[in-house]
């Protein structure tokens, strides 16, 4: 059995088993919908700046949840600990390589079905979150791990949260997004196959509560990339920045 097949079988089993896990709020349904518009830089040579509108949909019923295009379950949850599993559409990295006229002769990058296991611990000093993921449809045949620390601060109607994140990408992920195969190589774009590497990110978010149901969300992210990525001949920067604003309505 391939590792991806084992991962998806395990994730489905864990999500199914979460139906029998103890829920802190039995039969309570939580739903929030909204939208987020953001602007960000492309990592690729001659890549366009991205301006995107993203719907924001979240729901929870007992131990099951929907977060955007991902469906999952909480396998364990108490005052401090949380263990979860999810399956859904996801992108580990930027798939907008085809926005670059210089790189438009390269194959388009595809979205992937992602499996993810997450572990979180929350205390007065903040929250630590570890997430492990892989593609389940053989898009890049690789793995990713994210370790993040966040701290919330409530000031009146504002909720501020700062987060620092370390992201490890396997060589297969880096080669899919930032590598150059022998067929894609040409003068000025040499063959390149990166190894695994670690990226770092700093995120600041602020949520303003208009009332009990409505909120405005502001988010900014600064991310730096490993030398395995920045040394690629199809990449022309070592960092990216994103900023956006959104609206959330909770039922």
């Amino acid at each position: 059995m391939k590792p991806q097949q084992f991962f998806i079988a395990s994730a489905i089993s864990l999500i199914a088993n979460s139906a029998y896990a103890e829920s802190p709020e039995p039969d309570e349904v939580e739903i929030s919908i909204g939208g987020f518009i953001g602007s960000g830089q492309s990592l690729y040579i001659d890549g366009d700046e991205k301006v995107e509108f993203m719907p924001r949909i979240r729901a929870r019923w007992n131990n099951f949840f929907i977060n955007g295009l991902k469906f999952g379950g909480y396998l364990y949850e108490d005052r401090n600990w949380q263990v979860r599993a999810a399956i859904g559409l996801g992108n580990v990295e930027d798939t907008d390589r085809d926005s670059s006229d210089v790189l438009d002769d390269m194959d388009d990058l595809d979205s992937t079905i992602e499996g993810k296991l997450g572990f979180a611990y929350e205390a007065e000093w903040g929250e630590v979150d570890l997430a492990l993921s892989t593609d389940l449809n053989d898009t890049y045949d690789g793995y990713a791990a994210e370790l993040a620390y966040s701290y919330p601060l409530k000031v009146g109607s504002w909720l501020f949260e700062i987060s620092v994140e370390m992201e490890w990408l396997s060589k297969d992920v880096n080669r899919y997004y930032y590598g150059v195969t022998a067929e894609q190589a040409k003068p000025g774009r040499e063959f390149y196959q990166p190894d695994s590497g670690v990226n770092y990110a700093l995120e600041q978010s602020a949520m303003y509560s208009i009332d009990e149901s409505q909120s405005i969300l502001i988010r900014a992210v600064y991310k730096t990339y490993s030398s395995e990525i920045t040394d690629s001949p199809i990449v022309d920067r070592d960092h990216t920045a994103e900023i956006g604003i959104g609206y959330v309505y909770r039922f």
Side-chain angles (χ1 to χ4, degrees):
M1 177 181 288
K2 295 179 64 176
Q4 284 83 357
Q5 294 172 328
F6 175 79
F7 193 105
I8 190 170
S10 300
I12 291 174
S13 175
L14 289 171
I15 292 172
N17 289 337
S18 72
Y20 303 100
E22 182 179 352
S23 174
E25 300 288 347
D27 299 322
E28 181 173 339
V29 179
E30 302 172 7
I31 301 175
S32 67
I33 62 172
F36 189 85
I37 186 167
S39 175
Q41 298 167 315
S42 173
L43 198 61
Y44 295 108
I45 290 177
D46 197 40
D48 293 338
E49 182 172 306
K50 301 173 293 181
V51 178
E52 297 178 312
F53 173 79
M54 294 159 284
R56 189 180 189 273
I57 302 172
R58 294 186 178 180
R60 177 172 180 178
W61 176 71
N62 289 349
N63 293 303
F64 297 104
F65 66 85
I66 295 173
N67 186 354
L69 298 175
K70 292 183 174 64
F71 168 76
Y74 293 98
L75 315 177
Y76 177 81
E77 192 174 27
D78 61 21
R79 182 176 179 180
N80 300 107
W81 285 97
Q82 182 189 91
V83 182
R84 63 193 185 275
I87 297 174
L89 188 66
N91 295 316
V92 173
E93 289 294 285
D94 184 3
T95 60
D96 291 333
R97 187 171 68 190
D98 56 355
S99 70
S100 168
D101 292 337
V102 177
L103 307 177
D104 62 1
D105 61 316
M106 299 181 70
D107 296 336
D108 291 344
L109 298 172
D110 297 322
S111 297
T112 183
I113 303 299
E114 179 184 77
K116 179 172 284 191
L117 294 176
F119 310 85
Y121 181 82
E122 185 176 3
E124 293 182 356
W125 42 263
E127 180 178 334
V128 176
D129 191 287
L130 172 65
L132 310 173
S133 62
T134 184
D135 72 318
L136 303 176
N137 56 339
D138 296 333
T139 299
Y140 51 76
D141 276 335
Y143 305 89
E146 303 168 25
L147 179 63
Y149 166 77
S150 59
Y151 184 81
L153 178 64
K154 188 168 179 61
V155 181
S157 297
W158 287 93
L159 177 62
F160 298 94
E161 185 170 83
I162 188 168
S163 175
V164 291
E165 178 182 313
M166 180 172 65
E167 173 191 55
W168 173 83
L169 302 180
S170 72
K171 65 180 181 181
D172 296 299
V173 178
N174 281 339
R175 289 177 182 180
Y176 180 74
Y177 288 100
Y178 307 110
V180 177
T181 65
E183 293 77 15
Q184 296 167 336
K186 66 179 186 180
R189 186 203 298 161
E190 66 272 15
F191 173 81
Y192 183 71
Q193 295 291 279
D195 217 329
S196 61
V198 178
N199 308 323
Y200 299 91
L202 176 65
E203 178 177 339
Q204 173 69 66
S205 65
M207 179 174 284
Y208 177 78
S209 296
I210 301 172
D211 54 34
E212 291 184 355
S213 299
Q214 303 178 86
S215 298
I216 299 296
L217 175 64
I218 303 170
R219 176 176 175 266
V221 182
Y222 177 84
K223 186 173 182 178
T224 63
Y225 296 84
S226 70
S227 60
E228 295 295 327
I229 292 175
T230 59
D231 287 345
S232 170
I234 63 174
V235 168
D236 69 349
R237 62 172 67 239
D238 60 7
H239 69 274
T240 57
E242 299 179 12
I243 190 168
I245 187 169
Y247 169 82
V248 178
Y249 185 88
R250 292 179 294 275
F251 291 90

